Amino acid sequence: MKILSFMLIVIMFIMLPAIASQYGIYSPNNYQKNFSSTEQERLLFILDFSNSMTEELEGSTKVNLMLNTMKEILPKINPNTWVGLRIYGHRMGFTPMEACRASKLVSPITTNNSGNIGAALSQVKPKGMTPITYSLKQAIRYDFMGFPGKKHIILLTDGGENCDESPCTFVMNLIRIRRDVKIDVIAFNIKDSDDLEQLECTALVTSGKFYNAQTAAELLNGFNNSIEASKSVDAKIVLPK
């Protein structure tokens, strides 16, 4: 029995490199290769399709200015970038509760995704409320599921939260348990000082950027700056010699 056990151990040691190679087990030979890699940041647009986006601005509507801006920036996004799109306010529902749950991931986070995002945007019309906090909760809980590393949200809104707790309160509680989410906020043509304060807090608490965009040019600038700041994260483990 002892001889048989010894032979089984010897066979396992002989076969271990092959098993590790086939099934991704970390042996001394492949440990460095598997952990010395680059983990890209995941980027998610969360865009406002609430009813107030139909308001006129600069001879157009705010929603058209947003869509034209997205048409300009999407082709410039590197195909290797992991990016997706969530929208909110795109439907009313029969009750206020339904309207305050109008948030949907219309293009899951993946690479080479600009065309899909553009196609999804062309199908949406502004209609409802402004469930910002609910959208952030859904994005962080579900949209980034299974993705390690940094998560970068670019949130656009033309108003403050009118459904849930303030997004500022939400992120202040969030950073107590996790620090892998950064939120850039683009406040588009917002005049209310309390709304601006809450949105600025949402960005700064998560180490994100806040853009107070009152014009189409400033809107484009905010998007460009946020995308430019979305960098790859090097995840490397240095082994002891």
Side-chain angles (χ1 to χ4, degrees), residues 84-222:
L85 170 66
R86 173 174 284 273
I87 60 172
Y88 64 93
H90 57 292
R91 57 180 173 80
M92 275 300 298
F94 294 106
T95 66
M97 178 63 74
E98 287 184 75
C100 286
R101 295 296 181 267
S103 181
K104 182 179 181 180
L105 180 69
V106 293
S107 187
I109 299 171
T110 187
T111 56
N112 196 26
N113 204 24
S114 292
N116 295 328
I117 291 174
L121 285 172
S122 68
Q123 303 298 316
V124 190
K125 303 295 182 184
K127 292 181 181 179
M129 307 283 280
T130 312
I132 296 171
T133 304
Y134 178 75
S135 297
L136 292 173
K137 290 176 179 178
Q138 293 295 102
I140 293 167
R141 184 177 300 167
Y142 300 114
D143 301 353
F144 292 113
M145 185 180 293
F147 292 137
K150 296 292 184 180
K151 290 89 175 168
H152 182 187
I153 291 173
I154 300 178
L155 168 71
L156 178 138
T157 180
D158 77 331
E161 172 68 53
N162 59 15
C163 283
D164 207 331
E165 64 181 317
S166 81
C168 174
T169 301
F170 167 65
V171 297
M172 288 180 71
N173 290 322
L174 177 69
I175 63 168
R176 294 177 181 176
I177 57 174
R178 56 190 298 177
R179 297 292 184 93
D180 60 334
V181 179
K182 177 178 71 174
I183 304 173
D184 289 346
V185 178
I186 303 175
F188 187 31
N189 195 234
I190 298 177
K191 299 295 194 296
D192 186 277
S193 59
D194 290 337
D195 289 343
L196 289 170
E197 184 178 319
Q198 291 289 325
L199 294 168
E200 184 174 13
C201 163
T202 303
L204 300 185
V205 164
T206 61
S207 300
K209 300 294 184 182
F210 175 74
Y211 303 96
N212 187 352
Q214 295 297 322
T215 66
E218 291 172 348
L219 177 65
L220 177 61
N221 182 65

Side-chain angles (χ1 to χ4, degrees), residues 23-69:
Y23 295 102
I25 300 172
Y26 297 118
S27 70
N29 291 332
N30 70 4
Y31 191 84
Q32 181 73 42
K33 179 179 69 175
N34 279 279
F35 279 87
S36 294
S37 60
T38 298
E39 183 61 52
Q40 280 190 303
E41 187 175 77
R42 266 58 177 182
L43 173 63
L44 180 69
F45 292 105
I46 302 182
L47 302 184
D48 188 352
F49 279 88
S50 62
N51 185 62
S52 56
M53 288 291 285
T54 61
E55 295 173 358
E56 292 189 2
L57 181 66
E58 297 182 355
S60 184
T61 61
K62 288 190 279 187
V63 68
N64 283 337
L65 295 177
M66 177 184 73
L67 293 174
N68 290 337
T69 300

